[in-house]
């Protein structure tokens, strides 16, 4: 059977039912949403999968996790944002066998940069489990600008995507700029300090292909930008 997905070009996915032989329209337009609350199969420990309730990000939506940090103390600039779709996921709660109910983790919150560039602080307050599926959470806008626009450090990376070596052009010439390059798991894969000059080289030849976050800092300023290594 040949099926055309042309009518679903504005969606991330289209679906086909093997049982009924019909195409199913299950998603809103991709540009209209940021995160979705859903049930999915997850590996809870090696070799064991389980149906969990959690949160996925849409494509082009970034998120970060502030774990073991008091919610009031969490700062969205303390960790890089990631495109990994299950940064929020399902591990913000656990089932307590002693009281036989779900408990929401404390000292855990998330930051989400929506498709418009606004940054939201999100934390969960309750989960009723499979009996109702109800999830309670709080959200608060913490930045009305995009990640790339914060602070006082403006910079450009070219070419992007990059093969081998990128050029970073800064708007700061005569003071040191600290930089860190993070992979999508939040690990620092390169860090150093640039001094003097507007243009600097960034060697990525030893890195695996993928998306990375370049973070630059100066006294009183901060900036981030995604780069694609090919």
């Amino acid at each position: 059977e040949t099926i055309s997905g042309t009518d679903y070009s504005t969606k991330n996915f289209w679906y086909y039912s093997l049982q009924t032989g019909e195409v199913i329209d299950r998603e809103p337009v991709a540009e209209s949403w940021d995160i979705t609350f859903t049930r999915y199969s997850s590996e809870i420990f090696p070799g064991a999968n389980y149906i969990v309730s959690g949160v996925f990000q849409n494509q082009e939506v970034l998120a970060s996790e502030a774990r073991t940090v008091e919610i009031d103390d969490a700062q969205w600039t303390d960790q890089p944002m990631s495109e990994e779709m299950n940064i929020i996921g399902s591990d913000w709660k656990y089932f307590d066998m002693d009281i036989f109910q779900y408990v929401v983790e404390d000292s855990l919150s998330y930051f989400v940069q929506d498709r418009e560039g606004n940054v939201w602080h999100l934390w969960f307050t309750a989960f009723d489990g499979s009996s109702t599926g109800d999830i309670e959470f709080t959200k608060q806008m913490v930045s009305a600008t995009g990640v790339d626009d914060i602070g006082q450090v403006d910079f450009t990376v070219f070419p992007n995507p990059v093969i081998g070596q990128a050029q970073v052009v800064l708007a700061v010439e005569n003071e040191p700029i600290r930089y860190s390059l993070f992979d999508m798991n939040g690990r620092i894969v390169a860090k150093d300090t640039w001094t003097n000059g507007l243009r600097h080289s960034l060697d990525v030849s030893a890195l695996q292909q993928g998306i990375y976050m370049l973070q630059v800092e100066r006294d009183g300023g901060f900036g981030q930008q995604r780069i694609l290594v090919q």
Side-chain angles (χ1 to χ4, degrees):
E1 185 169 359
T2 301
I3 305 166
S4 173
T6 304
D7 295 337
Y8 302 92
S9 60
T10 60
K11 312 293 181 73
N12 288 341
F13 297 97
W14 56 269
Y15 303 81
Y16 179 77
S17 171
L18 297 175
Q19 189 173 43
T20 65
E22 296 176 336
V23 175
I24 305 172
D25 187 357
R26 298 179 58 186
E27 291 190 1
V29 173
E31 294 183 354
S32 68
W33 64 279
D34 297 306
I35 60 176
T36 182
F37 295 77
T38 187
R39 301 179 74 222
Y40 59 96
S41 177
S42 178
E43 188 176 53
I44 55 175
F45 53 84
N49 282 31
Y50 192 73
I51 299 298
V52 298
S53 297
V55 181
F56 284 152
Q57 299 153 228
N58 195 0
Q59 297 182 53
E60 300 180 11
V61 174
L62 304 177
S64 63
E65 177 184 87
R67 187 175 290 271
T68 68
V69 180
E70 294 291 335
I71 292 173
D72 290 341
D73 295 333
Q75 300 292 324
W76 71 278
T77 55
D78 286 347
Q79 55 279 316
M81 295 280 191
S82 172
E83 284 187 328
E84 189 175 345
M85 67 182 293
N86 63 340
I87 290 296
I88 301 175
S90 66
D91 61 350
W92 41 268
K93 80 288 192 194
Y94 64 92
F95 193 79
D96 190 323
M97 296 297 294
D98 293 331
I99 60 176
F100 214 68
Q101 66 183 30
Y102 279 94
V103 176
V104 174
E105 293 276 9
D106 58 8
S107 301
L108 173 62
S109 59
Y110 302 89
F111 294 97
V112 179
Q113 183 195 8
D114 64 26
R115 298 176 68 89
E116 301 300 321
N118 304 305
V119 178
W120 300 82
H121 193 190
L122 182 150
W123 61 95
F124 296 91
T125 54
F127 176 60
D128 284 347
S130 58
S131 58
T132 66
D134 289 345
I135 298 173
E136 296 181 11
F137 66 95
T138 299
K139 64 182 176 70
Q140 178 183 37
M141 183 182 286
V142 293
S143 176
T145 62
V147 167
D148 297 344
D149 300 322
I150 64 175
Q152 304 174 29
V153 182
D154 296 320
F155 67 100
T156 302
V157 179
F158 70 95
N160 193 8
V162 57
I163 299 176
Q165 194 168 85
Q167 299 297 313
V168 181
V169 179
L170 298 158
V172 180
E173 183 174 11
N174 296 316
E175 62 179 276
I177 298 293
R178 299 176 297 277
Y179 76 85
S180 301
L181 187 63
F182 297 85
D183 65 15
M184 286 296 95
N185 291 316
R187 296 185 294 255
I188 296 178
V189 296
K191 64 183 301 182
D192 206 340
T193 299
W194 288 314
T195 57
N196 299 325
L198 296 171
R199 180 167 170 171
H200 305 274
S201 296
L202 178 65
D203 186 3
V204 297
S205 59
L207 299 180
Q208 295 182 344
Q209 295 183 358
I211 297 173
Y212 294 80
M213 184 71 72
L214 177 61
Q215 176 178 296
V216 298
E217 299 176 77
R218 58 179 288 194
D219 292 340
F222 178 87
Q224 288 183 326
Q225 190 170 139
R226 284 173 287 169
I227 63 173
L228 175 60
V229 174
Q230 292 186 338

